[in-house]
Amino acid sequence: MRAFITRWLVLGASSLLATLAACAAPDAAPPPDPEVASQTSADTADPADAADAAFRGDACSDIAPAPHFRDWPRIHSAIRSDARDEAWIRSVVAAMTLEQKVGQMTQGEIASLWDPTTASYQLADLTRIGLGSVLNGGGSWPESNKHAAVGDWMALADAIWDASPTVTLPGRHPTQVKIPTFWGIDAVHGNNNVFGATLFPHNIGIGATRDTCLAREMGAATSRAVRTTGQDWAFGPVLAVVRDDRWGRSYESWSEDPAVVRALAGAMTTGEMALDRDGTSFHGIITTAKHFIADGGSTDGIDQGNVLASEAELMNIHAQGYFTALAAGAQTVMVGYFSLNDQGKDAGNQHLITDILKDKIGFDGMVVSDYNAIGQITGCTNDHCPQAINAGIDLFMVPFDWRTFVPNTVADVRAGLIPMSRIDDAVTRILRVKLRAGLFEEPRPSARPGASNPDNLVDHALARRAVRESLVLLKNNDSVLPLRSDRKILVVGKSADSIQNQTGGWSLSWQGGPWTFGPNDVNLNSDFPNGESILAGIRDKVGADRVTFSVDAAGIDVRQFDAVIAVIGETPYSETFGDVATALGNRGSDDASLRTLELGHRMPEDRAVLQAVSGHGVPVITVLVSGRALFANAEINLSNAFVAAWLPGTEGGGVADVLFRNRNGSIGNDFQGRLPVSWPRAACQTPLNAGDPGYDPQFALGYGLTYRSRVRVGTLDATPGPAAGCP
């Protein structure tokens, strides 16, 4: 194993940004970061609020303004090219047949290798075709077992490694070179496909922390968790700069602010990769910067749709995270399903992939297509797309069509539709990434450091810290928070005792439930044996005998309690199934009134439970679990305190850590989170981004109270959105 390089693990965001600045100087100073904004409908703040920024601030949360570019900067990766490695790669490529080369460019799903009739994996085709890569999509597990143990994952990883193809290098003494087949997995908030793994808050919550040190540590923890189950490659982090909260993947974005995405992208990549001392390799996991290049700018927030953006907007908004991730050494870039300016799907856009990413930016790693993304290119199918190869895609995610993709592509090359030089370039890039990752030197996955150790899947302390830092306090009238831990507490709401709701999509299953695509898709608390619900965390904090729980507060005399904690919000979704502006994103409903950011319309049971517990002279503290900012003025009006908890993951106890005082009455944890996205003051107020003309949010980007704040939120305008839904 190559030596570990300490300086990269301790690298802060400021150092990384300085490195990037040396690569490509901006043409002008950028505007300053938005400050913590005063609540526009609040009374005048106490002067003590001026100390809030200093209370939060440290080197880890010092987010530098994003530089402004007039042209695409050339990024110099932290991983240096090695002349001897490049010569060796050329010799291997020269020895490969066309079929072997195309095999390296192909990625299949592990489910496609499973034979249910024999209840075994059939790996002969993997060896015969020389498949270069495998993946498991969201909701795909060894032997389709949702509760597969670490040993089950590792056994399959070993079998795939054993079946990897070999190439004979010619010479006086011909040598056999095994080209390891590597395995990619959607590890986007921990190793989230694996039973028993700790799941961190989704990106939107980490954006609220603005903590680059936390992001780096999460990256390192994710790397350990992924290597424990035998994978080499994570399909993350997502580098989207979300610009319309109706998008079903909003929670996968750190922020609407490019500066926040820029800082966290470099930090997360640094933690996941763990560069070696020689600067030519790494011993963490292969990271993926995705989805190139402007998925967060989707028109109307519609997933897999169209993005209207100038090249200047691409550079200065949507690409900022790519610049730092690539500078930190990211080795793969994934191209998704979007179109830019109605130019056709990005996976077939040569200007974006080759002219900009490879030639101008100077990326020398590999470009991978998203799951069956090439099938959306005009004239292509899932198993046949010379346009995408010629555009610059190097590795093709064709989960169940790889057996025909390889011969189809070979035929295209022989017919002159794809130049051999493009094939050789793609294979060179793939082998370069495998070599830099140390895969040619590594033993079987089970023999590698950290392999098969289930303890590496769990990091309670780090995840709980992330939850504490991510919480954003929007309202705390009369300083009802923090609560004393010796009081009688009524907990209500559907999300209080639902780890499913607090983890969201991409959590053990693809959608995280309640969408049902099979018997294993809907999650239960028992599916997270190392997790803790928010209710469980509250009980642990104050004692189970002081806590009463009722989902809807039916038949409860609220006056018998000292405080009510209502945990409400969205139920899980991912990708297009979370889009607000479409019927599909509203559980397939044609009810147009659901196509709104209004919480009461989308989740009427939440408003009902708040109405049941409010107005009894007992303070109501509402905790909103959601993947985006929502129009929730009616719910805020019904609450004495209101907390945006985002999607906190498996450590629900982190919420209680901040809501309650210590047993001795002292404040153990204050609120630190600041809004990563602007909070709407109307149901149809989207897009809503700082710097937009007429910017008028309910709570501005960067807003967040602490226990030192003396801001009183008045009655907010709760006028409902149109019954016909938002235009």
Side-chain angles (χ1 to χ4, degrees):
M1 177 65 69
R2 289 160 172 164
F4 172 70
I5 179 163
T6 305
R7 68 181 180 89
W8 278 100
L9 274 187
V10 300
L11 182 65
S14 58
S15 299
L16 183 60
L17 293 171
T19 300
L20 182 62
C23 302
D27 66 318
D33 276 345
E35 297 178 353
V36 177
S38 296
Q39 213 273 66
T40 54
S41 64
D43 297 339
T44 303
D46 186 279
D49 287 337
D52 282 356
F55 173 81
R56 295 188 184 92
D58 56 34
C60 297
S61 57
D62 184 14
I63 303 296
H68 185 83
F69 299 97
R70 289 183 178 174
D71 197 4
W72 292 98
R74 190 163 189 86
I75 303 300
H76 298 289
S77 172
I79 295 185
R80 297 183 291 104
S81 181
D82 183 273
R84 290 171 299 178
D85 287 348
E86 294 299 312
W88 184 83
I89 292 170
R90 286 194 295 271
S91 69
V92 175
V93 173
M96 297 172 72
T97 66
L98 174 59
E99 288 79 5
Q100 288 173 322
K101 292 175 182 178
V102 176
Q104 283 299 304
M105 298 169 62
T106 309
Q107 184 177 67
E109 231 279 357
I110 60 169
S112 71
L113 299 168
W114 177 253
D115 183 353
T117 60
T118 61
S120 63
Y121 280 99
Q122 304 298 308
L123 301 178
D125 280 355
L126 189 155
T127 305
R128 176 179 62 83
I129 291 180
L131 197 65
S133 176
V134 297
L135 81 149
N136 64 286
S140 178
W141 317 276
E143 301 183 20
S144 297
N145 178 12
K146 183 178 183 178
H147 298 150
V150 168
D152 300 322
W153 289 88
M154 189 57 71
L156 181 55
D158 276 350
I160 290 168
W161 189 91
D162 291 342
S164 298
T166 58
V167 173
T168 302
L169 299 185
R172 180 176 299 179
H173 302 288
T175 57
Q176 290 287 108
V177 175
K178 176 192 283 286
I179 303 181
T181 298
F182 56 5
W183 184 346
I185 190 169
D186 284 296
V188 296
H189 62 137
N191 199 359
N192 48 264
N193 282 277
V194 179
F195 180 68
T198 290
L199 304 189
F200 297 103
H202 270 293
N203 279 1
I204 193 169
I206 304 307
T209 74
R210 288 163 170 76
D211 187 339
T212 54
C213 297
L214 173 66
R216 188 178 64 246
E217 291 176 45
M218 284 173 50
T222 300
S223 179
R224 291 191 296 271
V226 169
R227 291 183 71 84
T228 289
T229 49
Q231 289 76 51
D232 315 287
W233 181 9
F235 299 136
V238 173
L239 306 182
V241 180
V242 61
R243 307 298 281 178
D244 191 321
D245 295 329
R246 291 174 292 180
W247 185 36
R249 305 189 78 154
S250 289
Y251 62 81
E252 297 187 61
S253 170
W254 282 305
S255 179
E256 72 186 46
D257 183 356
V260 174
V261 175
R262 177 184 175 88
L264 295 177
M268 181 72 76
T269 302
T270 298
E272 287 193 350
M273 293 189 62
L275 267 65
D276 287 331
R277 187 180 303 278
D278 61 8
T280 64
S281 56
F282 57 96
H283 66 268
I285 54 175
I286 302 166
T287 63
T288 304
K290 69 178 189 181
H291 306 84
F292 197 71
I293 183 176
D295 46 347
S298 58
T299 301
D300 296 330
I302 295 175
D303 194 43
Q304 303 187 20
N306 188 47
V307 174
L308 298 175
S310 66
E311 203 147 304
E313 290 171 321
L314 293 184
M315 281 185 282
N316 294 300
I317 297 176
H318 300 289
Q320 292 283 358
Y322 290 90
F323 298 152
T324 50
L326 298 184
Q331 291 295 288
T332 62
V333 172
M334 182 182 291
V335 179
Y337 304 98
F338 282 86
S339 300
L340 176 65
N341 299 325
D342 296 307
Q343 295 172 359
K345 293 294 184 175
D346 289 350
N349 191 322
Q350 182 173 341
H351 178 62
L352 290 178
I353 301 169
T354 298
D355 298 347
I356 291 177
L357 178 61
K358 293 183 175 179
D359 293 345
K360 285 199 168 187
I361 295 177
F363 177 61
D364 70 351
M366 67 180 182
V367 179
V368 59
S369 62
D370 208 338
Y371 197 104
N372 282 337
I374 62 170
Q376 296 189 17
I377 298 173
T378 301
C380 291
T381 60
N382 290 342
D383 67 350
H384 184 222
C385 194
Q387 298 96 310
I389 298 175
N390 290 332
I393 299 290
D394 302 310
L395 192 147
F396 291 81
M397 193 183 291
V398 284
F400 295 92
D401 296 283
W402 51 277
R403 290 178 177 86
T404 49
F405 175 83
V406 172
N408 287 344
T409 302
V410 168
D412 286 339
V413 176
R414 288 176 174 155
L417 298 177
I418 304 169
M420 183 60 76
S421 59
R422 174 77 272 273
I423 298 295
D424 287 346
D425 173 60
V427 178
T428 295
R429 289 169 176 271
I430 293 166
L431 298 187
R432 180 182 293 140
V433 172
K434 291 184 177 184
L435 185 64
R436 288 173 173 174
L439 298 184
F440 286 98
E441 302 172 2
E442 294 270 25
R444 301 174 86 217
S446 60
R448 299 172 189 173
S452 304
N453 183 355
D455 291 343
N456 287 335
L457 288 176
V458 181
D459 199 327
H460 293 298
L462 182 61
R464 193 157 176 153
R465 170 188 154 199
V467 175
R468 290 195 297 264
E469 291 189 28
S470 69
L471 304 177
V472 179
L473 182 61
L474 300 182
K475 178 180 180 180
N476 190 25
N477 284 5
D478 302 319
S479 297
V480 297
L481 292 176
L483 296 169
R484 287 176 53 174
S485 59
D486 60 352
R487 293 298 192 245
K488 290 180 62 177
I489 306 297
L490 172 63
V491 179
V492 298
K494 68 178 186 296
S495 295
D497 195 31
S498 174
I499 302 179
Q500 167 185 296
N501 286 358
Q502 71 191 45
T503 53
W506 300 111
S507 298
L508 196 58
S509 61
W510 174 36
Q511 293 293 323
W515 282 94
T516 304
F517 296 94
N520 289 320
D521 290 318
V522 176
N523 293 328
L524 304 172
N525 284 0
S526 58
D527 290 316
F528 303 96
N530 292 314
E532 181 179 51
S533 71
I534 294 173
L535 173 64
I538 294 171
R539 285 173 169 161
D540 182 63
K541 179 67 68 173
V542 305
D545 59 327
R546 293 192 179 96
V547 178
T548 298
F549 173 58
S550 172
V551 171
D552 57 8
I556 299 291
D557 184 357
V558 177
R559 294 168 297 179
Q560 300 302 310
F561 298 89
D562 297 306
V564 178
I565 299 175
V567 189
I568 64 173
E570 294 185 302
T571 52
Y573 53 81
S574 68
E575 299 191 80
T576 54
F577 296 94
D579 287 352
V580 168
T582 66
L584 181 62
N586 291 289
R587 303 289 186 257
S589 173
D590 290 324
D591 182 357
S593 69
L594 295 175
R595 300 177 196 180
T596 171
L597 289 174
E598 185 173 0
L599 175 60
H601 257 322
R602 301 185 61 76
M603 302 290 166
E605 68 278 10
D606 290 339
R607 185 172 298 175
V609 74
L610 283 175
Q611 289 170 334
V613 297
S614 298
H616 298 284
V618 177
V620 175
I621 295 90
T622 298
V623 176
L624 176 66
V625 173
S626 70
R628 54 186 141 218
L630 293 165
F631 174 56
N633 282 4
E635 289 74 19
I636 294 173
N637 288 339
L638 290 167
S639 310
N640 300 87
F642 198 92
V643 178
W646 315 112
L647 296 171
T650 48
E651 291 298 322
V655 176
D657 287 344
V658 184
L659 295 185
F660 287 90
R661 294 178 180 271
N662 293 330
R663 297 291 175 106
N664 64 6
S666 64
I667 297 176
N669 298 280
D670 202 343
F671 284 90
Q672 300 180 56
R674 297 166 55 192
L675 285 180
V677 292
S678 302
W679 199 275
R681 65 166 60 249
C684 298
Q685 193 183 21
T686 186
L688 177 66
N689 299 292
D692 288 350
Y695 180 65
D696 184 29
Q698 188 65 67
F699 302 101
L701 173 73
Y703 174 94
L705 303 177
T706 72
Y707 287 141
R708 300 184 180 194
S709 303
R710 294 296 180 267
V711 172
R712 181 176 182 83
V713 177
T715 301
L716 306 181
D717 182 358
T719 303
C726 298

